[in-house]
Structure formats: C-alpha cells, structure tokens
Amino acid sequence: MEEKLQRILNLLSEGKNSEQISLIVFKTKNCVQFNRFCSENNIDLKQYKAFKYMDKEWLSEQLKKYNNSPTILARELNLSLTSVNRYAIEFGLRKPKKSIASVNYINEKYFDEVDDFKKAYWLGFIMADGYTYKTPNREKYELAIKIKSTDIDHLKEFAKDVEFPEEKIVIGSGKRNGNINYYCQLRTYNTHLVTTVMHKHKIVQNKTYVQCLPDSIPKEYISDFIRGYWDGNGTLKKAGWSACTMSYQLIESFAKYFDENNIEYTLRKELCKSGNYLHLIRIRSKSHDTFVKLIYPPEKYALKRKYDLIYTSPQN
C-alpha cells in the first residue's frame, strides 16, 4: 500500500491527471479506483497542477483570464474539459447548459391517447411527411416534420396543438435538381413523445416498407388519420385523387376502409429503380363526393390548400 501511495504521489507531482494515473497504476482508464484510493488516503488533489480546477478561487481567476471559456482554459492548461465544466457549475461560476428538450418545450404526453380527431390527423400526417429516428448506440430520439415553406401555417398549427414554441420552427432552403426549394421544419428530441409515436403508434424510422394503419387509432378517427396521410402524401388533381406508399400493407388497410364505406377506388403498383414497388390507390370519380364527405368534411381540420382544391375547384 505504501509503495502504491508513493507512486501515485510521484505521478501527481509530475502533473499526471486522473486518467493517466489510473492507466499506469490500475491498468484502466476508468478513474473509479483512483478516486476511491485518493479518498481513502486523504489525498488533497487540488494542490496538484492537473487538479487545480478543484479550487474555486483558482478556477474563477483562470476563467476570467481565458475569456470565461472552459474549453480554452482546458486546452491551454492541458486539463480535463469535463472536469473543468463540472467544477465550474458546482462552484456556481457557470450555469448548466440547457438540453434541447428543455429549451424546446413540448407537451410530451400529447400522443399518449388518441382521444380526439386532431391527434389521429397529426399521426397520419407524420407517417406521410415526417420521420422518427433513434441514434444508433445512444438513447437519443428525434421526430421531425419538414414541409414546403408556403405551408408554414400548417406547421404552426401542429406546434400550437403540441405546445411547441412557434419561434423554434426553422425556415431554410436547399438545392434539388438545380432548383432552390424553401422549406420549414419542426424538430423535437423529447424522448417520451418520440418513443410513444414510434412504439405505440408504429410510426418508425425506415418506415417506407413497413407502414401500416396503427391499431392504436380508434375506429371513429380512422378517417382523420387517412386525411392526415392524404394531406402529406396524397394528391387532389385532375389526373385523379390518389395516395401512394411503398407499403402494400398500408394501401390494403385504406382499401379495406373504403370498401366498408362504399368508396370505389383502383389499385396500381409501379416498379421503381430500387427494384421495389410503389403502391398507389386512386379514388374513382364517381366516389369523389362520398370521399369528401367521409375524409374531408368542412368541419374538420386539414391542409388549407387541399381544402381549397376541393371546395373552390370541385372539378379538381
């Protein structure tokens, strides 16, 4: 024990940090054994060069010297940035950095229960025009909706419903096929809300081929879910009122629902360059009125330009 103690004291005097000493003495980068040893032997670490950040007065002076930047301080003095930040916060010299989840508040329980038509609608829209994502090897989740900037009022409506700060909606642009496209985007990293959407409502990352009508949607709100999906991934044009997806399972569930409600349709599939099929369902013109009555009734919320196509240009 005396030999180990002296060895550690010598390494401390040489300016070695906790990770370096742990590797030399305990054969691991994990500092648990080193910290325990120091505590048991009453070693005052802050008197040594590599641990000066443990002294409040010293750390305060150094932060002032280095423009109140723990990053610059740690780099210039060869200290652990994590430790510098930890003690700066502990001493009240810096405020804890707010997480994205705390800055961008959202009603995380909004989708816990689908108990009104608007929730069903938004789930359909997210399935069509949004995405969910889990970072590999990390418990970090994301849900995002990205649409044309001209539809920003639609995104603001979603933000209002889920209590997301409207000012946090991002407006940007990108180049595609030589053209500049303007978009608006909403992102949340709230773990509870995103995992609810993914696990309970089956709107998952890499969803293209596995989309299905979630069994979490009550029967009375299925038409609202379909309207949300149609707003995000459907068309109401002279060529036909249609929606498409790479998932035959989803199209099949739409077809079953239309059969139950006397809406006539046609199904088609097209082979894509990827070798997979794009499945398309098109409403027959004779069923347009029935489709509107069921899916796009005037009293229900929907994307404004889709309503305008139906109610101001009935020929479309």
Side-chain angles (χ1 to χ4, degrees), residues 2 10 18 29 40 43 59 82 127 144 213-214 251 284:
E2 289 297 324
N10 289 338
S18 55
K29 287 185 178 182
E40 291 172 351
I43 298 175
L59 185 55
T82 301
M127 179 175 282
L213 182 64
I251 286 295
R284 289 182 178 273

Side-chain angles (χ1 to χ4, degrees), residues 44-229:
D44 183 13
L45 291 174
K46 64 177 176 287
Q47 65 179 297
Y48 296 98
K49 180 181 177 181
F51 298 87
K52 286 289 187 181
Y53 53 76
M54 299 174 75
D55 181 89
K56 181 177 180 178
E57 187 177 343
W58 181 88
L59 185 55
S60 178
E61 291 177 358
Q62 296 303 316
L63 281 171
K64 291 176 183 177
K65 180 179 177 181
Y66 291 105
N67 199 29
N68 203 35
S69 170
T71 303
I72 298 174
L73 187 157
R75 184 180 67 236
E76 293 299 319
L77 301 182
N78 194 29
L79 299 176
S80 163
L81 176 59
T82 301
S83 298
V84 170
N85 270 320
R86 173 190 165 192
Y87 279 91
I89 293 170
E90 187 177 308
F91 294 149
L93 302 175
R94 284 179 64 80
K95 293 181 179 179
K97 185 177 180 181
K98 292 183 179 179
S99 67
I100 294 175
S102 66
V103 173
N104 292 353
Y105 175 77
I106 197 167
N107 179 0
E108 64 176 20
K109 296 184 178 181
Y110 182 77
F111 288 118
D112 280 10
E113 298 297 332
V114 183
D115 50 12
D116 68 49
F117 81 89
K118 206 81 171 289
K119 294 179 181 180
Y121 172 86
W122 287 125
L123 286 171
F125 191 79
I126 291 169
M127 179 175 282
D129 237 359
Y131 73 81
T132 55
Y133 180 74
K134 178 184 180 295
T135 305
N137 305 318
R138 290 178 60 194
E139 292 298 311
K140 182 178 178 181
Y141 295 85
E142 175 185 353
L143 181 149
I145 302 176
K146 182 178 179 180
I147 58 179
K148 295 190 301 183
S149 61
T150 50
D151 289 330
I152 191 170
D153 285 343
H154 194 59
L155 208 52
K156 287 180 179 179
E157 181 73 13
F158 176 73
K160 182 185 74 174
D161 285 352
V162 298
E163 299 172 47
F164 181 90
E166 184 181 302
E167 65 273 13
K168 296 293 183 180
I169 294 174
V170 174
I171 300 175
S173 63
K175 205 171 220 183
R176 187 176 180 183
N177 299 326
N179 298 315
I180 296 178
N181 298 304
Y182 295 92
Y183 65 84
C184 54
Q185 185 175 50
L186 180 153
R187 279 176 160 176
T188 178
Y189 301 88
N190 184 283
T191 300
H192 180 86
L193 183 136
V194 182
T195 53
T196 299
V197 171
M198 292 175 68
H199 301 150
K200 183 172 184 176
H201 304 301
K202 306 298 187 296
I203 300 175
V204 297
Q205 62 192 96
N206 302 322
K207 65 182 185 294
T208 304
Y209 306 107
V210 296
Q211 289 179 142
C212 62
L213 182 64
D215 55 16
S216 59
I217 307 295
K219 189 171 182 180
E220 62 266 33
Y221 299 133
I222 290 177
S223 63
D224 302 296
F225 178 89
I226 294 175
R227 184 172 66 260
Y229 188 89

Side-chain angles (χ1 to χ4, degrees), residues 245-305:
T245 173
M246 302 300 284
S247 169
Y248 177 70
Q249 189 176 358
L250 182 63
I251 286 295
E252 189 177 40
S253 61
F254 285 1
K256 181 181 178 181
Y257 184 73
F258 291 154
D259 284 337
E260 293 171 353
N261 290 277
N262 300 314
I263 295 175
E264 295 188 30
Y265 58 85
T266 58
L267 298 177
R268 199 177 80 218
K269 62 181 182 180
E270 299 175 358
L271 185 63
C272 302
K273 290 181 180 179
S274 63
N276 297 295
Y277 284 102
L278 175 69
H279 299 278
L280 182 142
I281 186 166
R282 175 172 285 134
I283 307 302
R284 289 182 178 273
S285 57
K286 65 169 70 174
S287 288
H288 281 189
D289 289 344
T290 309
F291 176 82
V292 168
K293 185 177 180 181
L294 180 66
I295 307 299
Y296 279 93
E299 70 274 12
K300 294 288 188 73
Y301 178 80
L303 185 62
K304 184 178 182 300
R305 60 185 170 85

